[in-house]
Amino acid sequence: MLYLIDEPMADIGLRTAADDPEARVVLVQDGVFLSPALDAELYAVEKDVDVRGVDLPKEIEEITYDDLIDLIVENEVKNFV
């Protein structure tokens, strides 16, 4: 399952993703300020990272919007934006 996480809904989104052993989490918009402690694949949209001037932890991979679209097409999505 792919989880799209933004700051306002981060708490419930991250708790939901934590219960999914196959979770893939994408941090979008202000969600890039988060540093989730999850055993999951973690991504952040690079444009959101750049606009906000965030230095990501090494375990979070930056992806483009094109990459995000590919992930959305390839996975079932839960949106916490």
Side-chain angles (χ1 to χ4, degrees):
M1 175 85 55
L2 183 69
Y3 297 85
L4 304 179
I5 308 285
D6 189 5
E7 178 61 37
M9 298 293 292
D11 186 48
I12 191 165
L14 293 173
R15 280 188 284 136
T16 303
D19 291 334
D20 181 350
E22 296 183 19
R24 300 171 89 184
V25 174
V26 180
L27 305 175
V28 298
Q29 300 173 350
D30 285 346
V32 300
F33 290 117
L34 303 169
S35 294
L38 295 176
D39 185 22
E41 293 179 43
L42 301 172
Y43 306 97
V45 176
E46 70 181 1
K47 186 167 184 166
D48 295 334
V49 171
D50 291 343
V51 166
R52 288 160 179 83
V54 176
D55 290 325
L56 293 176
K58 65 179 178 174
E59 62 271 3
I60 300 176
E61 178 183 341
E62 285 188 45
I63 60 172
T64 65
Y65 275 114
D66 288 339
D67 296 331
L68 176 58
I69 290 167
D70 290 342
L71 287 171
I72 290 170
V73 169
E74 296 167 0
N75 294 276
E76 185 176 346
V77 177
K78 287 199 178 184
N79 188 2
F80 295 92
V81 176

